[in-house]
Amino acid sequence: MIDAWLLERLVCPVTRQPLVYDEPAQELVSAAGGVAYPIRDGVPVLLIEEARPLASPA
């Protein structure tokens, strides 16, 4: 679980847009950047090289 106070302040390091918490996947999603950043042991890993590309719409 990500603290609400922290989530309000986190932004994508590439786009500087807000991130959306995906609790089941334990990821922070950047729709603008098209990537999802992992959360490991409760710590967001906001490194682009660690981000997972989001599936593009078919």
Short mmCIF file of all heavy atoms in Angstrom, two decimals:
data_model
loop_
_atom_site.label_atom_id
_atom_site.label_comp_id
_atom_site.label_asym_id
_atom_site.label_seq_id
_atom_site.Cartn_x
_atom_site.Cartn_y
_atom_site.Cartn_z
N MET A 1 0.85 -1.19 0.00
CA MET A 1 0.00 0.00 0.00
C MET A 1 0.89 1.24 0.00
O MET A 1 1.81 1.35 0.78
CB MET A 1 -0.89 -0.03 1.24
CG MET A 1 -1.89 1.07 1.29
SD MET A 1 -3.23 0.60 0.23
CE MET A 1 -4.37 1.87 0.42
N ILE A 2 0.58 2.16 -0.87
CA ILE A 2 1.31 3.43 -0.95
C ILE A 2 0.55 4.47 -0.13
O ILE A 2 -0.68 4.59 -0.23
CB ILE A 2 1.42 3.92 -2.41
CG1 ILE A 2 2.32 2.98 -3.20
CG2 ILE A 2 1.93 5.33 -2.51
CD1 ILE A 2 3.78 3.06 -2.84
N ASP A 3 1.28 5.21 0.68
CA ASP A 3 0.70 6.27 1.48
C ASP A 3 0.05 7.32 0.57
O ASP A 3 0.66 7.74 -0.43
CB ASP A 3 1.81 6.90 2.33
CG ASP A 3 1.29 8.00 3.22
OD1 ASP A 3 0.54 7.67 4.16
OD2 ASP A 3 1.62 9.17 2.95
N ALA A 4 -1.16 7.74 0.89
CA ALA A 4 -1.88 8.72 0.06
C ALA A 4 -1.13 10.04 -0.06
O ALA A 4 -1.10 10.66 -1.13
CB ALA A 4 -3.28 8.96 0.63
N TRP A 5 -0.49 10.48 1.03
CA TRP A 5 0.28 11.72 0.99
C TRP A 5 1.41 11.62 -0.02
O TRP A 5 1.64 12.54 -0.81
CB TRP A 5 0.83 12.00 2.39
CG TRP A 5 1.64 13.25 2.48
CD1 TRP A 5 1.17 14.49 2.76
CD2 TRP A 5 3.05 13.39 2.29
NE1 TRP A 5 2.21 15.40 2.75
CE2 TRP A 5 3.38 14.74 2.46
CE3 TRP A 5 4.07 12.49 1.99
CZ2 TRP A 5 4.67 15.22 2.34
CZ3 TRP A 5 5.36 12.97 1.87
CH2 TRP A 5 5.65 14.32 2.05
N LEU A 6 2.10 10.48 -0.03
CA LEU A 6 3.20 10.27 -0.97
C LEU A 6 2.69 10.18 -2.40
O LEU A 6 3.26 10.79 -3.31
CB LEU A 6 3.97 9.01 -0.59
CG LEU A 6 5.15 8.64 -1.49
CD1 LEU A 6 6.21 9.73 -1.48
CD2 LEU A 6 5.73 7.31 -1.05
N LEU A 7 1.62 9.45 -2.60
CA LEU A 7 1.07 9.27 -3.94
C LEU A 7 0.67 10.60 -4.57
O LEU A 7 0.86 10.81 -5.77
CB LEU A 7 -0.13 8.31 -3.90
CG LEU A 7 -0.73 7.93 -5.25
CD1 LEU A 7 0.32 7.29 -6.16
CD2 LEU A 7 -1.90 6.98 -5.05
N GLU A 8 0.15 11.51 -3.78
CA GLU A 8 -0.22 12.83 -4.30
C GLU A 8 0.99 13.61 -4.80
O GLU A 8 0.86 14.51 -5.62
CB GLU A 8 -0.91 13.65 -3.21
CG GLU A 8 -2.29 13.18 -2.87
CD GLU A 8 -2.91 13.97 -1.73
OE1 GLU A 8 -2.31 14.99 -1.29
OE2 GLU A 8 -3.98 13.56 -1.27
N ARG A 9 2.18 13.29 -4.32
CA ARG A 9 3.38 14.04 -4.66
C ARG A 9 4.26 13.38 -5.71
O ARG A 9 5.12 14.02 -6.29
CB ARG A 9 4.19 14.30 -3.39
CG ARG A 9 3.52 15.37 -2.56
CD ARG A 9 3.80 15.22 -1.08
NE ARG A 9 3.12 16.27 -0.32
CZ ARG A 9 1.85 16.24 0.03
NH1 ARG A 9 1.10 15.22 -0.32
NH2 ARG A 9 1.30 17.22 0.72
N LEU A 10 4.05 12.09 -5.95
CA LEU A 10 4.87 11.38 -6.93
C LEU A 10 4.44 11.72 -8.35
O LEU A 10 3.24 11.80 -8.65
CB LEU A 10 4.75 9.87 -6.73
CG LEU A 10 5.42 9.31 -5.49
CD1 LEU A 10 5.13 7.81 -5.38
CD2 LEU A 10 6.91 9.56 -5.51
N VAL A 11 5.41 11.91 -9.22
CA VAL A 11 5.15 12.15 -10.64
C VAL A 11 6.09 11.28 -11.46
O VAL A 11 7.13 10.83 -10.98
CB VAL A 11 5.33 13.64 -11.03
CG1 VAL A 11 4.32 14.51 -10.33
CG2 VAL A 11 6.74 14.10 -10.76
N CYS A 12 5.75 11.08 -12.70
CA CYS A 12 6.60 10.34 -13.62
C CYS A 12 7.89 11.13 -13.83
O CYS A 12 7.83 12.33 -14.10
CB CYS A 12 5.87 10.14 -14.95
SG CYS A 12 6.89 9.36 -16.22
N PRO A 13 9.04 10.50 -13.70
CA PRO A 13 10.29 11.23 -13.88
C PRO A 13 10.52 11.70 -15.31
O PRO A 13 11.32 12.60 -15.54
CB PRO A 13 11.36 10.21 -13.45
CG PRO A 13 10.72 8.89 -13.55
CD PRO A 13 9.25 9.11 -13.33
N VAL A 14 9.82 11.13 -16.27
CA VAL A 14 9.99 11.52 -17.67
C VAL A 14 9.02 12.63 -18.06
O VAL A 14 9.42 13.65 -18.61
CB VAL A 14 9.81 10.30 -18.60
CG1 VAL A 14 9.87 10.70 -20.07
CG2 VAL A 14 10.84 9.23 -18.29
N THR A 15 7.73 12.44 -17.75
CA THR A 15 6.70 13.38 -18.21
C THR A 15 6.31 14.42 -17.16
O THR A 15 5.66 15.40 -17.49
CB THR A 15 5.42 12.63 -18.61
OG1 THR A 15 4.86 12.01 -17.45
CG2 THR A 15 5.70 11.59 -19.68
N ARG A 16 6.67 14.17 -15.90
CA ARG A 16 6.28 15.04 -14.77
C ARG A 16 4.76 15.08 -14.56
O ARG A 16 4.23 16.00 -13.95
CB ARG A 16 6.81 16.46 -14.93
CG ARG A 16 8.30 16.54 -15.00
CD ARG A 16 8.88 16.18 -13.68
NE ARG A 16 10.34 16.30 -13.73
CZ ARG A 16 11.15 15.68 -12.92
NH1 ARG A 16 10.67 14.92 -11.98
NH2 ARG A 16 12.44 15.81 -13.01
N GLN A 17 4.07 14.05 -15.04
CA GLN A 17 2.63 13.92 -14.86
C GLN A 17 2.35 13.00 -13.67
O GLN A 17 3.17 12.14 -13.34
CB GLN A 17 1.98 13.34 -16.13
CG GLN A 17 2.14 14.22 -17.35
CD GLN A 17 1.46 15.56 -17.17
OE1 GLN A 17 0.30 15.64 -16.79
NE2 GLN A 17 2.20 16.63 -17.43
N PRO A 18 1.18 13.16 -13.03
CA PRO A 18 0.85 12.31 -11.88
C PRO A 18 0.82 10.82 -12.25
O PRO A 18 0.56 10.45 -13.39
CB PRO A 18 -0.55 12.78 -11.48
CG PRO A 18 -0.69 14.13 -12.08
CD PRO A 18 0.15 14.14 -13.32
N LEU A 19 1.08 10.00 -11.25
CA LEU A 19 1.06 8.55 -11.41
C LEU A 19 -0.21 7.99 -10.77
O LEU A 19 -0.73 8.56 -9.82
CB LEU A 19 2.28 7.94 -10.75
CG LEU A 19 3.61 8.34 -11.36
CD1 LEU A 19 4.76 7.96 -10.43
CD2 LEU A 19 3.80 7.71 -12.72
N VAL A 20 -0.67 6.87 -11.29
CA VAL A 20 -1.86 6.19 -10.76
C VAL A 20 -1.42 4.87 -10.15
O VAL A 20 -0.69 4.10 -10.79
CB VAL A 20 -2.89 5.95 -11.89
CG1 VAL A 20 -4.09 5.16 -11.37
CG2 VAL A 20 -3.33 7.27 -12.51
N TYR A 21 -1.85 4.63 -8.93
CA TYR A 21 -1.48 3.42 -8.21
C TYR A 21 -2.35 2.25 -8.66
O TYR A 21 -3.57 2.30 -8.58
CB TYR A 21 -1.64 3.66 -6.71
CG TYR A 21 -1.30 2.50 -5.83
CD1 TYR A 21 -0.18 1.72 -6.05
CD2 TYR A 21 -2.10 2.19 -4.74
CE1 TYR A 21 0.14 0.66 -5.22
CE2 TYR A 21 -1.79 1.14 -3.89
CZ TYR A 21 -0.67 0.38 -4.14
OH TYR A 21 -0.35 -0.67 -3.31
N ASP A 22 -1.71 1.20 -9.16
CA ASP A 22 -2.39 -0.05 -9.53
C ASP A 22 -2.05 -1.05 -8.44
O ASP A 22 -0.99 -1.70 -8.47
CB ASP A 22 -1.90 -0.52 -10.90
CG ASP A 22 -2.57 -1.80 -11.35
OD1 ASP A 22 -3.29 -2.44 -10.55
OD2 ASP A 22 -2.37 -2.18 -12.52
N GLU A 23 -2.93 -1.16 -7.45
CA GLU A 23 -2.66 -1.99 -6.28
C GLU A 23 -2.47 -3.47 -6.61
O GLU A 23 -1.50 -4.07 -6.14
CB GLU A 23 -3.74 -1.81 -5.22
CG GLU A 23 -3.40 -2.50 -3.92
CD GLU A 23 -4.38 -2.17 -2.80
OE1 GLU A 23 -5.38 -1.47 -3.03
OE2 GLU A 23 -4.12 -2.65 -1.68
N PRO A 24 -3.35 -4.08 -7.43
CA PRO A 24 -3.16 -5.52 -7.71
C PRO A 24 -1.81 -5.82 -8.38
O PRO A 24 -1.19 -6.83 -8.09
CB PRO A 24 -4.32 -5.86 -8.64
CG PRO A 24 -5.34 -4.81 -8.39
CD PRO A 24 -4.59 -3.57 -8.01
N ALA A 25 -1.36 -4.93 -9.25
CA ALA A 25 -0.10 -5.16 -9.96
C ALA A 25 1.10 -4.63 -9.18
O ALA A 25 2.24 -4.90 -9.57
CB ALA A 25 -0.16 -4.50 -11.33
N GLN A 26 0.85 -3.86 -8.10
CA GLN A 26 1.91 -3.22 -7.35
C GLN A 26 2.81 -2.38 -8.26
O GLN A 26 4.03 -2.53 -8.32
CB GLN A 26 2.73 -4.24 -6.57
CG GLN A 26 2.01 -4.79 -5.35
CD GLN A 26 1.73 -3.69 -4.33
OE1 GLN A 26 2.64 -3.18 -3.72
NE2 GLN A 26 0.47 -3.33 -4.16
N GLU A 27 2.14 -1.47 -9.00
CA GLU A 27 2.82 -0.59 -9.94
C GLU A 27 2.25 0.82 -9.85
O GLU A 27 1.11 1.01 -9.43
CB GLU A 27 2.64 -1.07 -11.38
CG GLU A 27 3.25 -2.40 -11.68
CD GLU A 27 3.00 -2.85 -13.09
OE1 GLU A 27 1.90 -2.62 -13.64
OE2 GLU A 27 3.91 -3.46 -13.66
N LEU A 28 3.05 1.78 -10.27
CA LEU A 28 2.61 3.15 -10.46
C LEU A 28 2.58 3.38 -11.96
O LEU A 28 3.61 3.25 -12.64
CB LEU A 28 3.54 4.13 -9.76
CG LEU A 28 3.52 4.06 -8.25
CD1 LEU A 28 4.64 4.90 -7.66
CD2 LEU A 28 2.18 4.51 -7.70
N VAL A 29 1.42 3.71 -12.49
CA VAL A 29 1.21 3.81 -13.93
C VAL A 29 1.28 5.26 -14.38
O VAL A 29 0.64 6.13 -13.81
CB VAL A 29 -0.15 3.20 -14.32
CG1 VAL A 29 -0.41 3.35 -15.80
CG2 VAL A 29 -0.20 1.73 -13.90
N SER A 30 2.07 5.48 -15.43
CA SER A 30 2.14 6.77 -16.10
C SER A 30 1.48 6.62 -17.46
O SER A 30 2.09 6.12 -18.41
CB SER A 30 3.59 7.23 -16.27
OG SER A 30 3.65 8.38 -17.09
N ALA A 31 0.22 7.04 -17.55
CA ALA A 31 -0.50 6.94 -18.83
C ALA A 31 0.17 7.83 -19.87
O ALA A 31 0.30 7.44 -21.04
CB ALA A 31 -1.96 7.33 -18.64
N ALA A 32 0.62 9.00 -19.47
CA ALA A 32 1.27 9.94 -20.40
C ALA A 32 2.58 9.37 -20.92
O ALA A 32 2.92 9.56 -22.09
CB ALA A 32 1.51 11.28 -19.71
N GLY A 33 3.30 8.67 -20.09
CA GLY A 33 4.58 8.08 -20.49
C GLY A 33 4.46 6.70 -21.10
O GLY A 33 5.40 6.19 -21.69
N GLY A 34 3.30 6.07 -20.91
CA GLY A 34 3.08 4.73 -21.45
C GLY A 34 3.88 3.65 -20.76
O GLY A 34 4.23 2.64 -21.36
N VAL A 35 4.16 3.87 -19.45
CA VAL A 35 4.95 2.90 -18.69
C VAL A 35 4.35 2.71 -17.31
O VAL A 35 3.57 3.53 -16.83
CB VAL A 35 6.43 3.32 -18.56
CG1 VAL A 35 7.12 3.33 -19.91
CG2 VAL A 35 6.56 4.65 -17.87
N ALA A 36 4.76 1.62 -16.67
CA ALA A 36 4.37 1.33 -15.29
C ALA A 36 5.65 1.08 -14.50
O ALA A 36 6.50 0.30 -14.92
CB ALA A 36 3.45 0.12 -15.22
N TYR A 37 5.78 1.77 -13.37
CA TYR A 37 6.95 1.63 -12.51
C TYR A 37 6.64 0.65 -11.39
O TYR A 37 5.58 0.73 -10.77
CB TYR A 37 7.32 2.99 -11.90
CG TYR A 37 7.71 4.00 -12.93
CD1 TYR A 37 6.79 4.91 -13.43
CD2 TYR A 37 9.01 4.05 -13.42
CE1 TYR A 37 7.15 5.84 -14.39
CE2 TYR A 37 9.38 4.99 -14.37
CZ TYR A 37 8.44 5.87 -14.86
OH TYR A 37 8.80 6.80 -15.81
N PRO A 38 7.55 -0.27 -11.10
CA PRO A 38 7.29 -1.26 -10.07
C PRO A 38 7.38 -0.67 -8.66
O PRO A 38 8.04 0.35 -8.44
CB PRO A 38 8.41 -2.28 -10.28
CG PRO A 38 9.53 -1.49 -10.86
CD PRO A 38 8.87 -0.43 -11.72
N ILE A 39 6.72 -1.34 -7.74
CA ILE A 39 6.84 -1.05 -6.31
C ILE A 39 7.43 -2.30 -5.69
O ILE A 39 6.83 -3.38 -5.77
CB ILE A 39 5.49 -0.70 -5.67
CG1 ILE A 39 4.91 0.53 -6.34
CG2 ILE A 39 5.64 -0.50 -4.16
CD1 ILE A 39 3.49 0.85 -5.92
N ARG A 40 8.62 -2.18 -5.11
CA ARG A 40 9.30 -3.33 -4.51
C ARG A 40 9.47 -3.12 -3.02
O ARG A 40 10.05 -2.12 -2.61
CB ARG A 40 10.66 -3.53 -5.18
CG ARG A 40 10.54 -3.88 -6.64
CD ARG A 40 11.85 -4.30 -7.24
NE ARG A 40 11.68 -4.51 -8.67
CZ ARG A 40 12.43 -3.94 -9.59
NH1 ARG A 40 13.42 -3.15 -9.27
NH2 ARG A 40 12.20 -4.18 -10.86
N ASP A 41 8.93 -4.04 -2.26
CA ASP A 41 9.00 -3.96 -0.79
C ASP A 41 8.46 -2.63 -0.28
O ASP A 41 9.00 -2.03 0.64
CB ASP A 41 10.44 -4.17 -0.29
CG ASP A 41 10.97 -5.55 -0.64
OD1 ASP A 41 10.18 -6.51 -0.56
OD2 ASP A 41 12.15 -5.67 -0.98
N GLY A 42 7.40 -2.14 -0.94
CA GLY A 42 6.75 -0.90 -0.53
C GLY A 42 7.44 0.37 -1.01
O GLY A 42 7.00 1.46 -0.68
N VAL A 43 8.49 0.23 -1.82
CA VAL A 43 9.25 1.39 -2.30
C VAL A 43 9.06 1.53 -3.81
O VAL A 43 9.39 0.62 -4.57
CB VAL A 43 10.75 1.23 -1.98
CG1 VAL A 43 11.55 2.41 -2.51
CG2 VAL A 43 10.96 1.06 -0.50
N PRO A 44 8.55 2.69 -4.27
CA PRO A 44 8.42 2.92 -5.71
C PRO A 44 9.81 3.01 -6.36
O PRO A 44 10.69 3.70 -5.86
CB PRO A 44 7.71 4.27 -5.82
CG PRO A 44 7.12 4.51 -4.48
CD PRO A 44 7.98 3.79 -3.50
N VAL A 45 9.97 2.30 -7.47
CA VAL A 45 11.23 2.34 -8.22
C VAL A 45 10.97 3.18 -9.47
O VAL A 45 10.48 2.68 -10.48
CB VAL A 45 11.71 0.92 -8.58
CG1 VAL A 45 13.03 0.98 -9.34
CG2 VAL A 45 11.84 0.07 -7.34
N LEU A 46 11.29 4.46 -9.40
CA LEU A 46 10.98 5.38 -10.48
C LEU A 46 12.17 5.60 -11.41
O LEU A 46 12.59 6.72 -11.69
CB LEU A 46 10.50 6.72 -9.90
CG LEU A 46 9.23 6.64 -9.05
CD1 LEU A 46 8.85 7.99 -8.51
CD2 LEU A 46 8.08 6.05 -9.85
N LEU A 47 12.68 4.49 -11.91
CA LEU A 47 13.77 4.51 -12.89
C LEU A 47 13.21 4.03 -14.22
O LEU A 47 12.60 2.96 -14.29
CB LEU A 47 14.91 3.60 -12.45
CG LEU A 47 15.56 3.93 -11.11
CD1 LEU A 47 16.52 2.82 -10.70
CD2 LEU A 47 16.27 5.26 -11.19
N ILE A 48 13.43 4.80 -15.28
CA ILE A 48 12.86 4.44 -16.58
C ILE A 48 13.37 3.08 -17.05
O ILE A 48 12.64 2.32 -17.69
CB ILE A 48 13.10 5.54 -17.63
CG1 ILE A 48 12.24 5.31 -18.87
CG2 ILE A 48 14.56 5.67 -17.99
CD1 ILE A 48 10.75 5.40 -18.64
N GLU A 49 14.61 2.72 -16.69
CA GLU A 49 15.12 1.42 -17.11
C GLU A 49 14.45 0.26 -16.37
O GLU A 49 14.54 -0.88 -16.79
CB GLU A 49 16.65 1.34 -16.99
CG GLU A 49 17.19 1.71 -15.65
CD GLU A 49 17.50 3.20 -15.49
OE1 GLU A 49 17.27 4.01 -16.39
OE2 GLU A 49 17.95 3.54 -14.40
N GLU A 50 13.76 0.55 -15.27
CA GLU A 50 13.02 -0.47 -14.52
C GLU A 50 11.53 -0.49 -14.89
O GLU A 50 10.80 -1.38 -14.48
CB GLU A 50 13.15 -0.23 -13.02
CG GLU A 50 14.55 -0.40 -12.49
CD GLU A 50 15.01 -1.84 -12.49
OE1 GLU A 50 14.18 -2.74 -12.27
OE2 GLU A 50 16.20 -2.07 -12.72
N ALA A 51 11.09 0.49 -15.67
CA ALA A 51 9.66 0.60 -16.03
C ALA A 51 9.27 -0.45 -17.05
O ALA A 51 10.07 -0.86 -17.90
CB ALA A 51 9.37 2.00 -16.57
N ARG A 52 8.01 -0.84 -16.95
CA ARG A 52 7.44 -1.81 -17.90
C ARG A 52 6.59 -1.03 -18.91
O ARG A 52 5.73 -0.24 -18.53
CB ARG A 52 6.56 -2.80 -17.14
CG ARG A 52 5.82 -3.80 -18.02
CD ARG A 52 4.94 -4.71 -17.18
NE ARG A 52 3.85 -4.02 -16.52
CZ ARG A 52 2.70 -3.66 -17.10
NH1 ARG A 52 2.49 -3.92 -18.38
NH2 ARG A 52 1.75 -3.05 -16.42
N PRO A 53 6.83 -1.23 -20.22
CA PRO A 53 5.97 -0.56 -21.21
C PRO A 53 4.54 -1.05 -21.09
O PRO A 53 4.30 -2.24 -20.89
CB PRO A 53 6.57 -0.96 -22.56
CG PRO A 53 7.90 -1.56 -22.27
CD PRO A 53 7.87 -2.04 -20.84
N LEU A 54 3.60 -0.14 -21.22
CA LEU A 54 2.19 -0.51 -21.21
C LEU A 54 1.80 -1.03 -22.58
O LEU A 54 2.33 -0.58 -23.61
CB LEU A 54 1.32 0.69 -20.85
CG LEU A 54 1.53 1.27 -19.46
CD1 LEU A 54 0.68 2.52 -19.28
CD2 LEU A 54 1.21 0.25 -18.39
N ALA A 55 0.88 -1.97 -22.61
CA ALA A 55 0.40 -2.52 -23.88
C ALA A 55 -0.35 -1.42 -24.65
O ALA A 55 -1.16 -0.70 -24.08
CB ALA A 55 -0.53 -3.71 -23.63
N SER A 56 -0.04 -1.29 -25.90
CA SER A 56 -0.73 -0.30 -26.71
C SER A 56 -2.08 -0.85 -27.17
O SER A 56 -2.23 -2.06 -27.38
CB SER A 56 0.11 0.09 -27.92
OG SER A 56 0.42 -1.04 -28.69
N PRO A 57 -3.08 0.02 -27.32
CA PRO A 57 -4.40 -0.46 -27.76
C PRO A 57 -4.34 -1.05 -29.14
O PRO A 57 -3.63 -0.56 -30.01
CB PRO A 57 -5.28 0.80 -27.74
CG PRO A 57 -4.42 1.92 -27.30
CD PRO A 57 -3.03 1.43 -27.11
N ALA A 58 -5.08 -2.12 -29.35
CA ALA A 58 -5.06 -2.81 -30.64
C ALA A 58 -5.95 -2.14 -31.65
O ALA A 58 -6.80 -1.39 -31.43
CB ALA A 58 -5.50 -4.24 -30.45
#
